Amino acid sequence: MSHTIYFNKEHEQVRKSIRDFVNKRLNPFVEEWEEDGIAPLHDLFKEMGALGFLGIRYDPKYGGEGLDYWYDVIMLEECGRIRCGGIPMAIAVQTHMATPAIAEFGSEYLKETYLRAAIKGEMVGAIAVTEPDAGSDVAALRTYAKKDGDDYVLNGSKTYITNGTQADFLTLLARTSEDPGYHSFSLFVVPTDLPGFKVSRKLDKLGMRSSDTAELYFDNLRLPARNLIGQEGEGFIYQMKQFQHERFSTLPLCYACAEELIRETVAYLKKRIVFGEPLIKKQVLRHRLVNWLGEIECLRQLTYHIVRMKSVGLDATREISQGKVIGGELFNKVAYGCLQMYGGMGFMNEMWISRAFRDARLYSIGGGASEVLCDALGKLEGF
Ligand SMILES: Cc1cc2nc3c(=O)[nH]c(=O)nc-3n(C[C@H](O)[C@H](O)[C@H](O)COP(=O)(O)OP(=O)(O)OC[C@H]3O[C@@H](n4cnc5c(N)ncnc54)[C@H](O)[C@@H]3O)c2cc1C
């Protein structure tokens, strides 16, 4: 396959060790975790941390592997092979959503305390941005952190927070001023063992069922000022940068999973006899499948292009947003289309395709809905 030219022997060794972990320690338990509506992230992350999977790109000074974006892509591609969306999402929250801002802008204290523990898998992280009245419009958020002596006093609520019932810390965006504009927000690390923190509700969802999603509540939570990430008033900007990591992570997750779904569908169509012959003989189905594989290859190549851009320090905001939109829509299209080819069987909960169809739905909503990213892309294009 063409993409093998991008990876050397060391890359492939890492890929194999992640794949082995996925096959042995994750995939056999997916049904159970989907049923439970939660996965034991503390146990899993400890194992993954010990294997070096949670700190691929992070500085060895804090326990990371200090590897490049190619290894990061390998990790994400292999996570795309997990037979549900909930577990890859929980992992990506730990590696690409709750920790990048700590690594990039956090103090030595925050990196030593939270980044190191997240990389080791000793702490579970969550990213807390969305609120009941502020999703796409992040700047509408109301959770307030008021400076009081050496503390900030936090009041408000967050919703749809992935890993929310298990998290040891939240990377949380709050207002620190009522002034209009983007300099009224600050990003904090909020430990969940402080008085005033409450998980108000674990949410029941259409998909991503093995991932726990929670509504969180902060009632006069006193947060030490040293838990502020970077400078007060710069949090919105830090979070926009952090979103780039989150959005980037969705590209490999989408194309790798879509590709696996197609492989599995082909295997089914070869066996399923309809009108006296295997369904795979139907040209209309074959054409659909190869067209999707072509689109998947385009998305993979865009991802590898982004890796090359990042590797030389170029800003890939435009390409990442393009890829997030394309990936979300493509994954949904493939999941919908493959389910159609399974017929009634595809509608059964016992089938991976039915779960993928439900899980895929989130990719064009979460972390910037397709329309929101298209708006931002339009601005970048100057219209
Ligand atoms: C399972 C799950 C897990 C999540 N995990 C997290 C998490 O860990 N942390 C976190 O902070 N958030 C999380 N979220 C929140 C997620 O990022 C938001 O749901 C998303 O950003 C959309 O915000 P909203 O739901 O408030 O939708 P709204 O902002 O109410 O938007 C609704 C819809 O309106 C359309 N729309 C919005 N803006 C525009 C526009 N400018 N032009 C045209 N159409 C538009 C879009 O289609 C959008 O889907 C999660 C959500 C889910 C469902």
Side-chain angles (χ1 to χ4, degrees):
M1 266 191 275
S2 65
H3 58 275
T4 52
I5 62 170
Y6 295 97
F7 301 108
N8 60 30
K9 224 165 138 196
E10 283 78 40
H11 289 125
E12 292 308 339
Q13 274 163 1
V14 171
R15 185 186 294 284
K16 187 179 175 307
S17 65
I18 301 170
R19 187 169 290 199
D20 285 348
F21 185 81
V22 167
N23 288 339
K24 288 186 196 131
R25 285 295 296 123
L26 301 180
N27 280 340
F29 303 96
V30 160
E31 303 293 334
E32 183 185 324
W33 298 331
E34 285 279 306
E35 189 72 25
D36 293 348
I38 193 164
L41 296 185
H42 283 100
D43 297 343
L44 289 178
F45 285 181
K46 263 187 212 125
E47 282 184 57
M48 293 183 75
L51 291 164
F53 298 162
L54 299 177
I56 300 255
R57 278 198 331 100
Y58 287 133
D59 192 337
K61 191 175 166 202
Y62 306 105
E65 302 299 311
L67 297 169
D68 61 23
Y69 279 105
W70 292 109
Y71 288 93
D72 193 33
V73 165
I74 288 172
M75 170 76 189
L76 292 163
E77 286 180 345
E78 292 310 308
C79 284
R81 298 182 60 262
I82 301 171
R83 292 173 77 87
C84 67
I87 304 301
M89 182 166 72
I91 296 168
V93 164
Q94 184 86 352
T95 54
H96 289 74
M97 302 182 210
T99 46
I102 305 176
E104 202 172 342
F105 308 108
S107 62
E108 201 54 28
Y109 163 73
L110 291 177
K111 288 193 244 193
E112 276 299 341
T113 313
Y114 298 100
L115 181 62
R116 182 180 288 285
I119 290 172
K120 269 195 181 167
E122 286 170 351
M123 275 190 181
V124 172
I127 174 75
V129 174
T130 307
E131 298 183 2
D133 295 318
S136 302
D137 183 5
V138 174
L141 68 82
R142 300 300 320 157
T143 294
Y144 204 98
K146 191 173 170 15
K147 192 84 195 280
D148 182 28
D150 287 339
D151 296 335
Y152 284 88
V153 180
L154 191 65
N155 279 290
S157 64
K158 297 281 174 186
T159 194
Y160 308 142
I161 306 307
T162 302
N163 302 350
T165 72
Q166 311 186 63
D168 300 296
F169 71 87
L170 316 169
T171 301
L172 177 140
L173 189 64
R175 266 189 178 277
T176 38
S177 157
E178 286 296 357
D179 294 343
Y182 295 119
H183 290 281
S184 297
F185 303 89
S186 303
L187 202 57
F188 297 93
V189 178
V190 180
T192 56
D193 59 357
L194 292 179
F197 171 77
K198 204 174 121 195
V199 175
S200 7
R201 206 153 63 98
K202 177 170 178 282
L203 301 164
D204 187 16
K205 310 188 296 297
L206 168 76
M208 302 291 198
R209 292 191 64 86
S210 48
S211 154
D212 56 306
T213 311
E215 211 170 74
L216 310 176
Y217 182 63
F218 312 93
D219 179 18
N220 284 318
L221 182 148
R222 287 198 85 85
L223 184 66
R226 62 180 181 174
N227 281 38
L228 171 72
I229 297 175
Q231 302 295 314
E232 185 181 304
E234 295 302 305
F236 196 88
I237 288 95
Y238 299 156
Q239 183 51 36
M240 290 304 122
K241 290 194 172 166
Q242 190 159 245
F243 272 140
Q244 293 307 309
H245 296 275
E246 166 170 359
R247 289 170 186 160
F248 175 70
S249 74
T250 66
L251 275 64
L253 291 178
C254 282
Y255 68 70
C257 188
E259 192 170 37
E260 278 298 299
L261 289 178
I262 291 175
R263 303 280 168 226
E264 187 147 304
T265 303
V266 167
Y268 178 79
L269 297 179
K270 282 183 177 169
K271 284 191 281 174
R272 178 70 179 166
I273 308 295
V274 176
F275 296 111
E277 61 177 9
L279 267 178
I280 195 70
K281 297 268 182 206
K282 305 292 175 202
Q283 191 185 47
V284 65
L285 303 187
R286 287 207 311 277
H287 283 194
R288 259 184 239 162
L289 291 160
V290 294
N291 280 329
W292 294 333
L293 285 172
E295 291 178 52
I296 285 168
E297 192 59 39
C298 289
L299 181 60
R300 186 186 351 254
Q301 292 306 320
L302 175 61
T303 307
Y304 293 176
H305 176 60
I306 292 168
V307 169
R308 287 195 295 263
M309 290 179 76
K310 281 165 167 275
S311 305
V312 293
L314 291 175
D315 175 17
T317 305
R318 175 171 164 269
E319 289 72 14
I320 290 172
S321 296
Q322 289 171 334
K324 164 82 167 52
V325 175
I326 294 169
E329 305 296 326
L330 177 59
F331 188 14
N332 274 287
K333 180 166 75 175
V334 169
Y336 177 97
C338 286
L339 191 152
Q340 179 73 14
M341 294 181 190
Y342 276 89
M345 196 64 187
F347 206 66
M348 297 301 113
N349 273 340
E350 69 197 71
M351 302 298 289
W352 180 27
I353 188 63
S354 73
R355 180 185 307 142
F357 171 73
R358 291 184 282 107
D359 292 350
R361 204 61 199 81
L362 183 62
Y363 283 93
S364 37
I365 297 173
S370 295
E371 294 86 347
V372 174
L373 293 179
C374 285
D375 264 0
L377 280 166
K379 277 187 199 133
L380 282 178
E381 299 295 343
F383 51 82

